[in-house]
Amino acid sequence: GVFFWHHKRLMKHLKSVLIVLLLLYTLPSLLTFLQQRANVPARTYLSSADEFGFSEKSVLMLVLDAFNASVFEEILAENPAYQQTFRDFTFFTDAVGGYTTTRAAVPWILTGQYYLNDEPFNQYLARVEPESLPAFLKTQGYRVESYPYVNYFSKVFDNQAVALPAAERLPAAVEQVVLAGIRYAPLVLKPTFVARYYRGLNYAHQDLVDFDRRASETTLGGNQPLFKFVHLSGAHVPFQLDADLQWRDAGYREQAEGSLLAVSHFLDALKTAGVYEDTLIFILGDHGNGAPMGYSNFPLASHAQALLLAKRPGQAFDTLQRSSARVTLGDLPRTIATEVGLDSDFSGYSLFG
């Protein structure tokens, strides 16, 4: 009504009116953005430049996301060559994971401390970070490095970078655009962004392909003890890779085999560089997968059956060993501390005890 009765006077000052309206709409949002930005903690980026550099005394934890122990058995049965690839390892057939997702599984694997859901998750992360395996090893003179698909405890690790590495900027930007499209696009356009996320984005498993490509860069140098944590997308959805690491949606089983192919090439590179024999190596899934043909949180038993392979320095067998010891992925911090000769307060037991 006000506009109708005073429209002539308002039209004379239309620019001023529009500016005022624009400020009324934008200033609250701008102030909210500035307040939230002030409370956002500084990001810690991790450089991948030294991912394949090893020391004379190294500990390697290589995680393949969502890799189920049962599919490893299937692949071994159908591909005898992998019996030789992993002949120096012990396969813990009764190993149990702790969580159905990476978000909770990785911190547990690195600390041995469960998240009990009695505090905010970020508070749990901040509390256990100083008590984590990498933080402990760092106090014992180790260099600790992380090459994550998912970033945890970044401030502890020594391979920090001041900015997101250049090679990761474009995939990260594309990922954000696609996620924004899924969240904010009109309903009629959402399927386009969803399809792009699950079928058309290399970033989902580009880390695995790049890891396989760069394995030949493996070198041995220096004598400072080294702990290296590598987390790859492994057999996680979306299933975009086949057994030869080609971009083809061949399902969970073939993508799992493709991730083992990358690990096989990496182990060969470790041997060529003279790193393999003296390195304590763990190859594991952070959790299993409940449904080979898709993603589901049930059955929980399937998610609990994560892959766990371990090789001690100097360990050599004629064929892959199997152990039915009742172990968990949360035993890894205690195991590593014990194997490198350090007293610790980590929970659980040594896998080799």
Side-chain angles (χ1 to χ4, degrees):
V2 173
F3 180 81
F4 179 80
W5 290 110
H6 300 281
H7 69 277
K8 292 185 178 179
R9 184 179 301 175
L10 291 172
M11 289 299 292
K12 291 180 181 179
H13 304 283
L14 182 60
K15 291 183 179 179
S16 299
V17 171
L18 291 176
I19 290 173
V20 171
L21 290 175
L22 179 64
L23 291 175
L24 287 175
Y25 275 109
T26 58
L27 279 179
S29 298
L30 180 60
L31 290 173
T32 301
F33 171 76
L34 292 175
Q35 289 174 351
Q36 291 180 343
R37 185 175 178 83
N39 296 325
V40 173
R43 290 290 302 272
T44 301
Y45 300 102
L46 297 173
S47 168
S48 60
D50 297 325
E51 184 170 5
F52 296 93
F54 285 84
S55 169
E56 294 175 359
K57 183 179 181 181
S58 297
V59 178
L60 169 66
M61 190 184 292
L62 177 58
V63 180
L64 301 174
D65 204 322
F67 205 112
N68 198 306
S70 61
V71 80
F72 182 70
E73 291 276 23
E74 291 180 19
I75 294 170
L76 285 178
E78 296 177 17
N79 297 273
Y82 281 122
Q83 293 279 359
Q84 285 299 304
T85 298
F86 300 106
R87 68 177 181 270
D88 297 327
F89 285 81
T90 300
F91 174 28
F92 290 88
T93 58
D94 199 21
V96 177
Y99 296 93
T100 62
T101 63
T102 300
R103 177 172 171 78
V106 168
W108 175 61
I109 290 168
L110 289 175
T111 64
Q113 297 189 42
Y114 285 96
Y115 172 59
L116 301 178
N117 203 29
D118 57 357
E119 61 184 326
F121 190 75
N122 287 338
Q123 185 175 316
Y124 157 77
L125 291 178
R127 178 174 58 80
V128 299
E129 182 177 285
E131 303 167 5
S132 65
L133 174 67
F136 169 72
L137 292 176
K138 192 168 183 175
T139 65
Q140 303 299 313
Y142 277 70
R143 176 176 172 82
V144 294
E145 299 175 357
S146 176
Y147 300 93
Y149 171 70
V150 183
N151 200 335
Y152 289 107
F153 305 153
S154 299
K155 294 179 182 178
V156 171
F157 294 104
D158 292 313
N159 59 317
Q160 295 182 22
V162 295
L164 185 68
E168 299 176 23
R169 291 176 190 171
L170 180 58
V174 172
E175 178 182 2
Q176 294 305 312
V177 169
V178 171
L179 292 177
I182 293 173
R183 182 172 298 174
Y184 300 115
L187 187 60
V188 68
L189 297 178
K190 286 185 186 293
T192 302
F193 288 98
V194 172
R196 179 71 177 165
Y197 180 83
Y198 283 105
R199 291 288 181 266
L201 277 177
N202 287 359
Y203 78 79
H205 301 295
Q206 190 65 46
D207 67 321
L208 191 58
V209 176
D210 288 344
F211 183 82
D212 183 59
R213 175 180 56 82
R214 294 185 57 203
S216 59
E217 299 176 14
T218 301
T219 56
L220 173 62
N223 53 15
Q224 181 183 8
L226 172 69
F227 171 74
K228 198 179 290 281
F229 176 80
V230 179
H231 186 291
L232 301 174
S233 57
H236 200 284
V237 290
F239 305 131
Q240 296 176 321
L241 300 175
D242 64 15
D244 296 316
L245 292 177
Q246 299 301 308
W247 292 98
R248 184 173 67 88
D249 187 347
Y252 175 79
R253 165 68 171 71
E254 284 219 25
Q255 185 163 298
E257 187 171 347
S259 62
L260 281 188
L261 180 66
V263 172
S264 174
H265 292 161
F266 177 52
L267 293 178
D268 288 341
L270 291 176
K271 293 173 184 177
T272 301
V275 175
Y276 176 84
E277 183 176 351
D278 296 325
T279 299
L280 177 61
I281 304 175
F282 300 90
I283 300 170
L284 60 145
D286 50 3
H287 54 83
N289 181 284
M293 299 306 294
Y295 181 79
S296 169
N297 277 334
F298 299 94
L300 292 178
S302 236
H303 276 281
Q305 296 170 348
L307 174 67
L308 179 56
L309 302 168
K311 185 195 80 69
R312 306 166 90 174
Q315 182 169 287
F317 301 118
D318 293 330
T319 186
L320 174 70
Q321 303 296 294
R322 282 174 166 78
S323 170
S324 58
R326 296 175 179 178
V327 300
T328 76
L329 301 185
D331 290 323
L332 287 173
R334 168 57 71 89
T335 301
I336 290 173
T338 301
E339 287 300 308
V340 300
L342 297 173
D343 292 328
S344 73
D345 295 325
F346 292 118
S347 62
Y349 304 90
S350 172
L351 301 184
F352 306 108

